[in-house]
Amino acid sequence: MAKLRGRKISNRTVEGLVASERDVVFWDAELQGFGVRVYPSGAKVYVVQTRQGVRSRRVSVGRHGVISASHARRRAALIIARLKAGEEPLPPRSRPVNELRVTVIELAERFLREYVEVRCKPWTVTTYRGALDLWILPALGRMQVGAVSHAHVAALHYRLRDIPYRANQVVAILNRMFSLAEVWGLRREGAHPCRSIRKYREFHRERFLSEEEFRRLGRVLNEVEAGAGTKRAQSLGVSVAAAIRLPILTGCRRNEILTLKWEDVELGAHELRLRDSKTGPRVVPLPPAAVSVLSALPRDPGNPWVISGARQGGRLSNLNDHWLRVREMAQLEGVRLHDLRHSFASRALALGESLSTIARLLGHGQVTTTARYAHLARDAVKASTSRVGADIAADLGLRPSSR
């Protein structure tokens, strides 16, 4: 149980709350029994806890981001008053007039227009649109919002069981859509069709480049950079090589490099100042090798992008096709662009950096995201222990075990 140190719950204080490895409830300093629960995933839900007769009751008020802190406070005060009076948390609401007329297609259009495009980053907007077009709308689009049940969502989730990440993503999008439908009065409150759907276990694929693979990749990038043919082709080769080298040297995400502008590069300070990364603005320290890569890139006065593209004044937008060619030349079968970032984390752990330091270097918003590398940290500790133990054993005249 945690307190806000004399502060009241507001949008600003809730946004500033940081997730930990377990659920934590922060209680309001003014309205007793009103709090916000922060989950390890970063989700934040407003709650009420008070006594109703001889027993204590805890009731969810709403999800932060779907409802505001002030809205949650008003609703919490009503719930507390009703519970103390021996009544149900909220009075039953009549069926919204619009519920029978609005389809899931219409809800999805409003969801994209008024929520996703306003609050989310461009890559998230594209991801949501893709999930809606490929899976959600073909299955549920023509149904009325009020007619979608838990069984419909569970059936769609089960249908995508062979791709667990997508199956869970679809349920997460539907969860947000139908929460907003309740706020917008398009569906009765308390009839959420996504509740109690258990997520499939997701297996994160981890692939780390070995020292020999790094050497092969380096040789191929030198060839790509040297280029052949027209001046434009040579310039594109330089951009492609830099776009692949920089994530390896900094741990940055692919899109953080592709959308980097020269005004965000501080070579003198050895820093990149990312204004809009996946987890918000952050400063990325540049190792000397990354500074050398950036310094060697040609600058076009009319082009603000660091990684320029084939078009005059434009940036490189599609790195995947180039990467597939580089990957084949370097004999790196199955290696994804994102695995270069994993390899950065792997090498940092092998050199003894802590998980918390790796989290800052990678720009992870939650420590739990970095925890996927915990087994590598254990391997690094074991290797270090072996080296120290072997050195001391030599002084003691002990022979290592053959087992």
Side-chain angles (χ1 to χ4, degrees), residues 89-128:
L90 288 172
R93 293 182 56 176
S94 58
R95 193 178 185 88
V97 175
N98 295 331
E99 183 174 306
L100 293 176
R101 296 202 295 263
V102 176
T103 64
V104 175
I105 290 178
E106 293 169 316
L107 172 62
E109 290 173 352
R110 183 174 178 181
F111 171 64
L112 289 169
R113 183 178 63 253
E114 298 184 17
Y115 183 84
V116 179
E117 293 177 356
V118 173
R119 292 174 175 265
C120 301
K121 298 184 185 300
W123 178 252
T124 305
V125 174
T126 301
T127 300
Y128 277 34

Side-chain angles (χ1 to χ4, degrees), residues 245-256:
R245 285 186 177 125
L246 288 172
I248 298 174
L249 295 171
T250 64
C252 284
R253 299 173 178 88
R254 173 186 54 186
N255 284 344
E256 290 172 345

Side-chain angles (χ1 to χ4, degrees), residues 3-9 26-32 34 73:
K3 295 182 179 178
L4 288 172
R5 297 181 182 177
R7 291 182 296 166
K8 62 181 291 186
I9 288 176
F26 296 87
W27 299 104
D28 185 64
E30 294 185 1
L31 180 58
Q32 187 175 1
F34 174 45
R73 180 181 297 276

Side-chain angles (χ1 to χ4, degrees), residues 57 80 94 114 135 156 160 231 239 339 346 369 381:
R57 290 195 63 180
I80 292 171
S94 58
E114 298 184 17
W135 299 296
L156 177 57
L160 298 171
K231 185 177 181 180
S239 291
D339 292 328
S346 172
T369 307
V381 170

Side-chain angles (χ1 to χ4, degrees), residues 166-181:
R166 294 301 180 192
N168 295 338
Q169 182 187 64
V170 162
V171 173
I173 293 172
L174 285 169
N175 181 62
R176 182 57 58 89
M177 278 179 55
F178 282 101
S179 294
L180 287 170

Side-chain angles (χ1 to χ4, degrees), residues 50-57 83-86:
T50 190
R51 298 198 70 80
Q52 186 178 43
V54 297
R55 66 190 182 109
S56 177
R57 290 195 63 180
L83 288 174
K84 288 186 175 181

